[in-house]
């Protein structure tokens, strides 16, 4: 067990980045062009007129006009009733209605459907997915994710995490994901896929992936898409296919607890389906260490907590009890 | 090249500018989302300097006052044109500075005054380069700090006092309102009157103590001052604050005001009268009444017929912008104090100025920047001397 833990800490140290490491966009673009890579940005939308204009303007200005890092910006929409598509198109994004892509297939509603159809519609060797509801959007949301793919051939899937507390008094502090991550996904991964606990925010909606990986994995169309990606990519390519980048702060609307319940329900369905298929649920013993994150300055460490849920038998099976009560 | 040759070129420049829409708007959004209350502009200035560096400007620096400066060297460089935009806004750093982009507008606190002005300044070197416009004279781009309120134009004044350039003309950029053409400054005196109930007040005098009541007395008396119709004079009572809750007697209340007049003498006289009022009310009520004057402007500027003024009007007319002539108390005053011919131009139309839902229209921006570029070319060509 100790060996595994050391390995995981090594993995975290070697594969966890901060976006500021990739500030030199000129250099990044030169390397991308040298490798002959093409990069597509996909923004999945449903009624995002308040934020989509800003995202398109900033990515187009900074990462297409100034520094040609991305080759296309595509908005794939689930059928917005507001002006999402009009605004996105006005500022130069390619806009698609999800149901118009692969029209012979039954249309399905959900973000995962848009992400999946992007693989068919977009041209890039790398696809970057960025949620369209981010109000503090910045070019780092894209270059921070594609940079590890450009610099390291063996990396196939780069996940975002956000870790910049507004106020912190120093020393060691807890880190990690949101409520669903810490209450549901991290305990599940600690039990069944300890290697995946190295991903600091498994549910973040921003990631960059090579086409050769995307075309080989299934896409739940709803809440489970990020969880399934991690399990499937890990199963097919191993932990060495992943990297993660700290993109600092992400501002978006907070979800009420009931919505998190729905999200958790979808994630659980996806998880159980995969765990069954991989025969993991049938295993007699599983991990008893919960792996959470703590951070000292900018160094991320796993915090291991042993939680063994021991049980007592029914009292009726205890001899002394039976004697005392004459049973 | 005559001014007509310049105005003839402008419609084409306006069309070309549309190609750079996203670059300009991205600068506006990114600048707008950096809070910059007066005295806290450093992060915006850093952004501005990054843009100047990326555009390959030779000498970029932050001066001792905190101003951001970029120099676009001219082919001859004997003279220099100073383009200035103030970097600060009236909003506190605690305000949510999220910008929202619609098809026609950009909305958010400070977007018009003066994030747009600063964004135009940040984008100008890139635009001139892309439009293949080269200048004979040096172009100094100044993101001025500590401009508003108690800042009292400290940034631009510091630069004008300490630079070694031969600045012959100045242009101040404001986000709104397109058509604005300010070339004179009016006399101005800006201050605050603070009324305080003394610490040793006898609180057994039921209910007749309140700093708000005292301030009300001051306001009534200021309102009674007889102001001349000629030269035109006014007292703007701009802001009021005081007290803490419904049922607690206010211990402190403050009025923010400006005296404005075409005559410096009248400004001084009215200022003196307000000082007398403060003393009189203090002695009657027993409250402390403190007058703090922290900004002054002298009236002045260039005449209507000045070539800089005339050229700019021609440029605006050619772009179908109707010049609206109005005196200013902003950065222009710092140029006037140095006898440098200067004017203030507005870039676009806006709404809800100084409110949280402040907004600017996108489409008129191209026209607004074209008038700025046209004016720079005209100055550079020697048409405004």
């Amino acid at each position: 067990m100790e060996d595994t833990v050391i390995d995981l800490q090594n993995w975290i140290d070697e594969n966890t980045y901060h976006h500021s490491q990739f500030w030199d966009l000129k250099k990044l673009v030169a390397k991308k062009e040298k490798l002959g890579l093409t990069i597509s940005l996909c923004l999945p939308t449903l009624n995002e007129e308040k934020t989509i204009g800003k995202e398109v303007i900033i990515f187009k200005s900074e990462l297409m006009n100034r520094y040609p890092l991305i080759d296309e910006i595509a908005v794939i929409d689930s059928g917005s009733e507001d002006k999402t598509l009009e605004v996105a198109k006005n500022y130069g994004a390619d806009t698609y209605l999800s149901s118009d892509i692969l029209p012979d297939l039954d249309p399905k509603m959900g973000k995962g459907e848009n992400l999946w159809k992007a693989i068919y519609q977009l041209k890039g060797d790398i696809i970057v997915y960025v949620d369209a509801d981010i109000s503090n959007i910045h070019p780092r949301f894209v270059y921070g994710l594609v940079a590890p793919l450009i610099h390291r051939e063996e990396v196939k899937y780069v996940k975002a995490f956000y870790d910049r507390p507004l106020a912190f008094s120093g020393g060691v502090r807890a880190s990690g994901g949101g409520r669903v991550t810490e209450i549901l996904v991290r305990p599940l991964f600690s039990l069944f896929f300890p290697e995946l606990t190295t991903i600091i925010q498994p549910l973040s909606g921003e990631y960059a992936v090579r086409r050769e990986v995307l075309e080989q994995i299934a896409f739940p169309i709803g809440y489970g898409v990020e969880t399934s990606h991690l399990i499937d990519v890990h199963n097919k390519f191993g932990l060495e296919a992943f990297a993660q980048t700290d993109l600092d702060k992400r501002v978006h609307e907070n979800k009420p607890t009931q919505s998190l319940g729905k999200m958790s329900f979808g994630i659980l369905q996806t998880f159980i389906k995969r765990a069954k298929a991989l025969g993991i649920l049938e295993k007699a013993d599983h991990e008893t260490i919960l792996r959470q994150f703590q951070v000292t300055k900018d160094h991320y460490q796993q915090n291991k907590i042993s939680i063994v849920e021991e049980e007592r038998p029914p009292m009726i099976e205890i001899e002394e009890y039976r004697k005392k009560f004459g049973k | 090249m005559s001014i007509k040759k310049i105005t003839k070129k402008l419609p084409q420049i306006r069309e070309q500018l549309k190609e750079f829409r996203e670059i300009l708007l991205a600068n506006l959004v990114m600048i707008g989302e950096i809070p910059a209350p007066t005295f806290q502009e450093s992060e915006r200035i850093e952004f501005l300097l990054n843009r100047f560096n990326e555009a390959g400007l030779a000498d970029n620096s932050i001066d001792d006052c905190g101003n951001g400066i970029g120099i676009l060297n001219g082919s001859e460089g004997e003279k220099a044109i100073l383009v200035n935009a103030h970097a600060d806004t009236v909003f506190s750093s605690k305000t949510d500075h999220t910008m929202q982009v619609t098809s026609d507008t950009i909305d958010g606190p400070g977007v018009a005054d003066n994030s747009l002005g600063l964004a135009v300044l940040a984008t100008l070197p890139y635009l001139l380069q892309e439009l293949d416009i080269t200048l004979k004279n040096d172009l100094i781009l100044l993101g001025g700090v500590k401009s508003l309120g108690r800042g009292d134009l400290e940034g631009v004044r510091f630069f004008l006092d300490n630079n070694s350039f031969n600045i012959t003309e100045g242009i101040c950029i404001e986000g709104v309102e397109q058509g604005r053409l300010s070339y004179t400054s009016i006399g101005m005196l800006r201050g605050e009157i603070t009324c305080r109930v003394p610490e040793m007040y006898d609180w057994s005098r039921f209910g007749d103590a309140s700093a708000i009541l005292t301030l009300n007395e001051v306001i009534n008396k200021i309102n009674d001052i007889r102001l001349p119709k000629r030269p035109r004079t006014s007292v703007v009572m701009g802001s009021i604050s005081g007290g803490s809750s419904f049922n607690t007697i206010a211990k402190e209340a403050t009025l923010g005001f400006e005296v404005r007049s075409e005559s410096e003498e009248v400004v001084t006289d009215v200022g003196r009268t307000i000082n007398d009022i403060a003393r009189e009310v203090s002695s009657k009520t027993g409250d402390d009444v403190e007058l703090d004057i922290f900004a002054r402007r002298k009236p002045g500027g260039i005449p209507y017929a000045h070539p800089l003024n005339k050229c700019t009007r021609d440029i605006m007319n050619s772009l179908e912008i109707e010049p609206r002539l109005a005196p200013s108390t902003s950065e222009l005053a710092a140029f006037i104090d140095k006898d440098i011919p200067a004017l203030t131009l507005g870039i676009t139309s806006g709404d809800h100025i100084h409110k949280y839902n402040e907004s600017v229209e996108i489409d008129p921006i191209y026209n607004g920047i074209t008038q700025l570029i046209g004016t720079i070319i005209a100055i550079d060509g020697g048409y405004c001397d």
Side-chain angles (χ1 to χ4, degrees):
Chain A
M1 181 58 68
E2 195 56 30
D3 284 342
T4 316
V5 172
I6 289 167
D7 284 345
L8 292 185
Q9 189 58 50
N10 281 344
W11 186 93
I12 292 163
D13 294 344
E14 287 168 15
N15 296 282
T16 303
Y17 298 97
H18 187 267
H19 68 84
S20 58
Q21 291 170 260
F22 310 118
W23 67 271
D24 192 342
L25 289 177
K26 212 170 165 182
K27 203 168 142 191
L28 198 61
V29 170
K31 182 95 189 270
K32 172 216 159 189
E33 283 170 358
K34 193 178 165 197
L35 293 169
L37 286 171
T38 52
I39 301 174
S40 301
L41 169 62
C42 171
L43 306 168
T45 55
L46 178 63
N47 297 327
E48 317 281 6
E49 68 174 4
K50 282 186 180 173
T51 45
I52 191 68
K54 193 162 79 175
E55 290 207 9
V56 173
I57 280 174
I58 286 190
F59 290 133
K60 189 158 184 242
S61 161
E62 304 305 298
L63 302 179
M64 284 182 97
N65 297 344
R66 278 181 191 275
Y67 300 99
L69 185 68
I70 50 179
D71 300 278
E72 64 179 332
I73 300 176
V75 169
I76 302 191
D77 188 73
S78 300
S80 292
E81 288 170 357
D82 65 5
K83 292 182 177 170
T84 300
L85 287 179
E86 183 193 314
V87 174
K89 197 170 185 179
N90 181 35
Y91 291 114
D94 300 327
T95 53
Y96 304 98
L97 203 54
S98 183
S99 55
D100 291 344
I101 303 170
L102 295 168
D104 292 340
L105 302 179
D106 282 343
K108 295 182 192 296
M109 272 293 280
K111 180 184 149 191
E113 173 85 344
N114 300 7
L115 306 183
W116 182 69
K117 287 187 169 175
I119 307 168
Y120 177 83
Q121 190 62 44
L122 307 191
K123 301 183 260 310
D125 302 314
I126 292 169
I127 298 181
V128 197
Y129 297 104
V130 176
D131 276 354
D133 65 343
I134 304 171
S135 56
N136 66 326
I137 200 69
H138 185 276
R140 67 176 186 268
F141 283 83
V142 168
Y143 69 71
L145 296 176
V146 299
L149 296 170
I150 291 172
H151 288 305
R152 292 176 55 195
E153 203 183 339
E154 73 278 16
V155 173
K156 299 176 192 306
Y157 195 110
V158 184
K159 192 87 179 161
F161 70 101
Y162 304 92
D163 195 67
R164 190 49 57 105
L166 296 177
F168 173 58
S169 58
V172 178
R173 64 178 167 81
S175 179
R179 287 168 286 176
V180 179
T181 294
E182 295 306 316
I183 291 169
L184 178 71
V185 178
R186 191 173 303 287
L188 280 175
F189 281 175
S190 294
L191 273 172
F192 299 108
F193 300 100
E195 285 197 337
L196 286 177
T197 60
T198 52
I199 307 294
I200 295 173
Q201 280 180 8
L203 298 182
S204 74
E206 287 69 45
Y207 33 95
V209 196
R210 293 192 197 277
R211 177 175 289 276
E212 72 215 44
V213 171
L214 287 170
E215 65 195 14
Q216 288 188 52
I217 53 178
F219 275 62
I221 59 156
Y223 296 110
V225 65
E226 280 84 17
T227 312
S228 83
H229 277 189
L230 296 184
I231 296 172
D232 292 352
V233 173
H234 178 253
N235 186 43
K236 278 183 195 290
F237 303 98
L239 189 61
E240 53 274 23
F242 291 100
Q244 57 191 344
T245 305
D246 184 353
L247 300 181
D248 283 351
K249 200 174 134 200
R250 181 192 195 278
V251 180
H252 60 109
E253 278 186 13
N254 213 9
K255 291 193 172 87
T257 310
Q258 283 208 330
S259 297
L260 299 185
K262 283 189 212 166
M263 189 177 171
S264 302
F265 191 63
I267 289 169
L268 264 176
Q269 286 184 40
T270 303
F271 184 89
I272 289 167
K273 197 171 165 186
R274 271 160 178 74
K276 270 187 184 166
L278 294 169
I280 285 168
L281 292 178
E282 288 75 28
K283 279 188 185 170
D285 44 271
H286 47 69
E287 299 281 336
T288 53
I289 293 174
L290 175 66
R291 294 163 194 274
Q292 296 175 319
F293 271 96
Q294 63 182 29
V295 60
T296 318
K297 284 191 179 172
D298 54 355
H299 186 241
Y300 293 89
Q301 281 182 313
Q302 282 213 324
N303 192 18
K304 302 170 290 293
I305 306 157
S306 175
I307 301 174
V308 181
E309 286 293 324
E310 288 185 286
E311 291 190 15
R312 291 290 192 190
M315 189 57 87
I316 197 75
E317 291 175 18
I318 305 295
E319 197 182 337
E320 290 89 331
Y321 175 81
R322 289 198 300 271
K323 265 187 199 167
K324 183 176 177 183
F325 289 95
K327 297 199 178 191
Chain B
M1 188 160 53
S2 76
I3 189 74
K4 276 194 179 163
K5 276 190 181 166
I6 295 174
T7 53
K8 212 173 159 185
K9 274 181 160 185
L10 297 180
Q12 192 198 338
I13 290 177
R14 181 174 50 197
E15 280 312 299
Q16 282 175 289
L17 285 175
K18 291 180 182 172
E19 290 170 31
F20 311 115
R21 177 181 60 171
E22 282 75 27
I23 287 184
L24 174 74
L25 297 186
N27 278 343
L28 173 54
V29 166
M30 287 190 277
I31 285 173
E33 294 195 342
I34 304 170
T38 307
F39 303 111
Q40 294 173 44
E41 306 94 339
S42 59
E43 207 184 326
R44 274 195 181 192
I45 295 300
E46 207 175 296
F47 181 93
L48 182 70
L49 263 283
N50 280 338
R51 283 304 191 233
F52 289 164
N53 287 333
E54 284 175 353
L57 265 57
D59 298 313
N60 309 316
S61 62
I62 297 174
D63 68 15
D64 289 349
C65 190
N67 294 307
I69 303 151
I71 313 290
L72 195 62
N73 288 324
S75 56
E76 296 173 7
E78 284 171 20
K79 297 175 183 175
I81 306 161
L82 175 56
V83 180
N84 164 78
H86 68 85
D88 47 352
T89 76
V90 300
F91 293 94
S92 99
S93 54
K94 288 177 186 162
T95 304
D96 178 1
H97 278 70
T98 301
M99 299 284 127
Q100 191 179 329
V101 179
T102 71
S103 292
D104 312 312
T105 63
I106 298 194
D107 313 330
V111 66
D113 185 17
N114 190 26
S115 302
L116 177 58
L118 197 65
V120 169
L121 193 78
T123 320
L124 199 54
Y126 180 88
L127 295 176
L128 293 176
Q129 203 176 338
E130 291 294 319
L131 294 168
D132 208 16
I133 294 171
T134 51
L135 303 173
K136 285 188 292 185
N137 298 297
D138 291 342
L139 187 69
I140 307 169
L141 305 171
L142 177 74
V145 296
K146 304 172 198 169
S147 186
L148 303 170
R150 284 186 176 270
D152 192 22
L153 312 181
E154 190 181 328
V156 65
R157 284 192 203 279
F158 178 88
F159 181 78
L160 290 174
D161 284 342
N162 294 287
N163 79 88
S164 55
F165 292 92
N166 175 24
I167 299 169
T168 53
E169 277 93 2
I171 303 172
C172 306
I173 319 172
E174 290 282 351
V176 293
E177 191 62 48
Q178 192 179 95
R180 173 179 178 175
L181 179 60
S182 302
Y183 52 92
T184 57
S185 171
I186 51 170
M188 185 274 276
L189 176 153
R190 180 186 296 155
E192 280 180 354
I193 296 174
T194 302
C195 302
R196 289 187 193 89
V197 176
E199 290 292 328
M200 302 304 289
Y201 192 81
D202 177 7
W203 293 99
S204 63
R205 287 167 57 185
F206 183 80
D208 65 348
S210 166
I212 290 174
L213 283 177
T214 308
L215 186 62
N216 183 49
E217 184 71 12
V218 171
I219 290 169
N220 285 336
K221 286 187 178 291
I222 291 175
N223 210 26
D224 288 343
I225 298 173
R226 291 171 65 91
L227 301 174
K229 283 189 178 169
R230 291 282 182 276
R232 285 182 295 180
T233 304
S234 66
V235 177
V236 179
M237 300 206 205
S239 70
I240 191 161
S241 61
S244 57
S245 70
F246 290 100
N247 58 356
T248 311
I249 288 169
K251 290 181 186 165
E252 192 170 308
T254 302
L255 168 75
F257 69 93
E258 263 189 22
V259 179
R260 297 168 169 222
S261 176
E262 291 166 347
S263 154
E264 190 179 8
E265 206 182 335
V266 173
V267 171
T268 308
D269 284 349
V270 175
R272 215 172 281 138
T273 308
I274 291 175
N275 190 29
D276 290 343
I277 290 170
R279 287 174 180 213
E280 185 192 343
V281 173
S282 176
S283 103
K284 266 190 190 170
T285 60
D287 286 3
D288 296 330
V289 181
E290 186 188 320
L291 172 65
D292 179 15
I293 305 289
F294 51 81
R296 287 178 190 273
R297 306 276 185 275
K298 281 193 287 187
I302 54 174
Y304 179 80
H306 190 283
L308 173 61
N309 218 336
K310 189 179 174 312
C311 277
T312 308
R313 284 198 306 272
D314 288 346
I315 287 163
M316 292 170 90
N317 287 327
S318 78
L319 292 165
E320 295 176 343
I321 300 172
E322 191 186 338
R324 268 171 274 165
L325 313 178
S328 162
T329 57
S330 63
E331 291 80 57
L332 187 64
F335 288 87
I336 290 169
D337 287 351
K338 291 279 177 191
D339 290 326
I340 298 171
L343 37 80
T344 302
L345 298 174
I347 298 295
T348 187
S349 305
D351 212 349
H352 308 296
I353 309 304
H354 297 174
K355 293 184 178 162
Y356 295 120
N357 58 344
E358 194 170 310
S359 73
V360 292
E361 286 180 34
I362 293 169
D363 204 42
I365 289 176
Y366 312 113
N367 229 13
I369 298 179
T370 308
Q371 70 169 342
L372 172 66
I373 291 174
T375 307
I376 292 171
I377 296 172
I379 295 171
D380 191 60
Y383 298 100
C384 306
D385 296 337

